[in-house]
Amino acid sequence: MPLTKHLRVGIIDSNPALKSRNHLTKNGIPDSRVSTVTPATISFFKDIGAWEHVQQQRHAFFGKMQVWDYTGLGYTRYNARDVGKEYLGCVVENKVLCNSLLLRLQEELDDIESVVYPTRLVSLTFPSKSRQAGMNPASSGQLSVGHATEELHRSNLVKLDLSDGRSLYSKLVIGADGSKSNVRQIAGIKTTGWNYPQSAIICTVEHAVENDCAWQRFLPSGPIALLPVGNNFSNIVWTMSPEESLRHKSMSPEEFVKSVNHALDFGYGPHPSSSALDHYMEQLFSGIGNTAASTKECFEVPPKATGVVSERMAFPLSLMHSHDYVSKRLALVGDAAHTVHPLAGQGVNLGFGDAAALAKVIAEGVSVGSDVGDLTLLQRYEKDRKAANVAMTAVLDGFQKLYSVDFGPLNVVRAAAFHGAQYISPLKRNIISYAMGDMKLPIFS
């Protein structure tokens, strides 16, 4: 941002991938770790000049989505045309997102090595505390290297001791170090959350034809998603019990592919089919606003997987939310502040939303001469993002609980929800807008 270009920023990260800053080839097998980025996140990447690098690497836009469950009682389809857009989202490998940001940083800086510290944080000392904590919170903002900091009044800065023996002094530390954030723990920020009795398997599968739709089916053990990643490849995100995840991870490739196709097709229950209720719902709500383009779209069977072409990875699922996002000279972003269930692929988008909001608040502070580590300034970021993140967390947790119980009356309620989302066009548009990054809650309006 023009207002913040003068700030000195340091990235403390020992990940060796930070040394690789070349465009990744579009050929080869897609990595199993991907993110579904929303139009709001794409706009953020465009604003900071990183999206053009994503476009030169592998990515896959999708304009359609189909969601259904194993009972066969209902389904809903979404189309970008429902809200006058070209696409609903884009599936991008995580390594492509990171690489694109690094390439953009390289364009902006003559010497990127002066910004990236390939080391680890050992301790932090905050100006308001006389004691030093081992493995204390840290991050970045306006940093200055040890020998040039006399005039920066060290007593009012955060001291960051690194594993390579260097020390940095910062006006603002940003903890972007994941769900097990050392920064958060050392700052003593409490969290609320729980572990789900589920794990997720992720991998890349191949098809005989190209996939251009995002598919999600709710099964008794959890949802399975099939996401296009370009060419004839798709990404699988399959939620199941930890025991089942271990079993699926150890299956032969042939057995696993058979299990995937069983889960996405007739397995567990029949395909949804049109009924008199569908016709009644369509007639009942046809007069409420303009009919969405996808309302008349029939249920489709997802493309069959013909092979699994990547490592199968399994990881436990949990929900976590920090009581506070900020304290004096400290801010948390992304998974360091909140983790959500992956059933809608929103975790990474919430994190980029945090980054965009914090950057905006810092720029506003600079414009009026405020200290970028001032608590009052940082609390504006917290107020903005906590409301949005808590709402999304509640929505996703509610879905997880709603679809984790196989009970007759509840199945009927779920079917009614599918029918409502399919045939009530204003509700459908509201749901799509919310999922695309518009933070209005998906309610009928």
Side-chain angles (χ1 to χ4, degrees):
M1 290 179 160
L3 284 168
T4 58
K5 281 183 178 291
H6 68 285
L7 296 181
R8 299 187 65 190
V9 176
I11 300 169
I12 301 167
D13 196 331
S14 59
N15 189 333
L18 290 174
K19 296 180 180 178
S20 173
R21 291 185 287 275
N22 297 307
H23 283 111
L24 301 171
T25 176
K26 292 184 178 181
N27 301 322
I29 304 300
D31 194 66
S32 57
R33 298 179 68 91
V34 305
S35 293
T36 303
V37 292
T38 62
T41 295
I42 292 171
S43 293
F44 176 50
F45 266 63
K46 287 180 177 178
D47 289 342
I48 62 177
W51 190 250
E52 62 186 57
H53 294 294
V54 174
Q55 290 178 304
Q56 295 178 52
Q57 302 170 87
R58 182 163 40 214
H59 62 287
F61 287 102
F62 61 93
K64 298 181 292 183
M65 184 174 185
Q66 178 175 288
V67 184
W68 73 110
D69 78 356
Y70 63 94
T71 65
L73 295 176
Y75 73 96
T76 185
R77 288 181 62 87
Y78 302 105
N79 195 308
R81 291 179 298 157
D82 293 340
V83 289
K85 302 294 184 181
E86 294 181 14
Y87 54 84
L88 295 174
C90 186
V91 182
V92 189
E93 291 159 78
N94 288 0
K95 65 182 182 182
V96 170
L97 290 176
C98 293
N99 194 49
S100 299
L101 292 167
L102 283 167
L103 288 166
R104 179 68 189 105
L105 193 60
Q106 194 171 27
E107 287 178 343
E108 195 69 23
L109 300 166
D110 295 330
D111 180 17
I112 194 173
E113 304 303 329
S114 66
V115 168
V116 177
Y117 293 79
T119 183
R120 292 178 297 101
L121 178 73
V122 175
S123 66
L124 278 189
T125 305
F126 285 91
S128 59
K129 301 174 183 177
S130 58
R131 62 183 178 85
Q132 179 170 329
M135 283 310 297
N136 263 320
S139 184
S140 58
Q142 181 174 350
L143 292 182
S144 73
V145 186
H147 67 271
T149 54
E150 284 77 14
E151 75 275 15
L152 292 182
H153 310 295
R154 290 182 174 181
S155 62
N156 194 37
L157 303 176
V158 183
K159 183 185 179 188
L160 299 86
D161 292 317
L162 310 181
S163 60
D164 63 6
R166 287 183 289 181
S167 294
L168 302 176
Y169 292 83
S170 175
K171 284 188 175 181
L172 175 62
V173 168
I174 302 172
D177 51 343
S179 60
K180 297 179 181 178
S181 169
N182 281 327
V183 173
R184 183 188 69 238
Q185 292 173 16
I186 296 163
I189 295 176
K190 304 297 184 184
T191 64
T192 297
W194 48 82
N195 296 322
Y196 291 111
Q198 296 173 318
S199 292
I201 286 240
I202 60 172
C203 64
T204 303
V205 296
E206 192 171 16
H207 309 288
V209 296
E210 186 168 358
N211 177 26
D212 63 353
C213 179
W215 312 83
Q216 185 167 53
R217 188 186 190 196
F218 285 91
L219 304 175
S221 59
I224 180 172
L226 184 74
L227 308 170
V229 291
N231 299 324
N232 288 13
F233 298 110
S234 290
N235 183 259
I236 292 283
V237 183
W238 192 353
T239 301
M240 58 187 71
S241 71
E243 297 76 21
E244 280 292 292
S245 71
L246 291 175
R247 189 172 72 84
H248 278 78
K249 193 177 177 184
S250 62
M251 282 179 176
S252 70
E254 295 76 17
E255 286 179 309
F256 182 77
V257 168
K258 184 178 179 180
S259 186
V260 166
N261 289 329
H262 182 262
L264 285 166
D265 204 342
F266 267 112
Y268 302 94
H271 295 155
S273 58
S274 297
S275 65
L277 176 61
D278 296 323
H279 179 72
Y280 174 75
M281 292 281 286
E282 187 174 353
Q283 294 299 313
L284 179 63
F285 295 108
S286 61
I288 303 178
N290 296 324
T291 301
S294 60
T295 298
K296 295 183 180 298
E297 292 181 6
C298 297
F299 175 85
E300 293 183 16
V301 178
K304 288 188 180 298
T306 57
V308 56
V309 294
S310 76
E311 176 188 5
R312 279 165 274 169
M313 304 173 66
F315 54 93
L317 303 182
S318 63
L319 178 149
M320 181 277 294
H321 195 267
S322 298
H323 293 183
D324 301 299
Y325 288 12
V326 301
S327 62
K328 185 176 181 180
R329 303 214 175 283
L330 171 72
L332 301 177
V333 298
D335 283 4
H338 44 77
T339 61
V340 296
H341 197 285
L343 65 86
Q346 288 293 337
V348 72
N349 296 295
L350 296 179
F352 283 124
D354 293 346
L358 181 57
K360 183 172 181 285
V361 164
I362 291 172
E364 290 171 350
V366 169
S367 71
V368 295
S370 296
D371 182 337
V372 297
D374 180 70
L375 180 58
T376 303
L377 178 70
L378 297 176
Q379 283 174 333
R380 286 160 53 187
Y381 152 73
E382 179 182 69
K383 181 180 179 181
D384 175 22
R385 292 307 300 166
K386 185 179 280 190
N389 293 335
V390 166
M392 180 63 80
T393 300
V395 168
L396 298 179
D397 186 58
F399 268 105
Q400 189 278 332
K401 288 177 167 55
L402 179 64
Y403 285 95
S404 63
V405 178
D406 186 9
F407 177 59
L410 189 57
N411 293 347
V412 174
V413 172
R414 292 200 302 249
F418 274 122
H419 281 81
Q422 177 66 0
Y423 293 108
I424 305 175
S425 293
L427 175 61
K428 171 173 284 195
R429 293 191 183 95
N430 201 287
I431 291 171
I432 294 173
S433 295
Y434 185 67
M436 290 172 69
D438 184 344
M439 284 295 109
K440 290 185 296 183
L441 283 174
I443 55 175
F444 181 72
S445 59

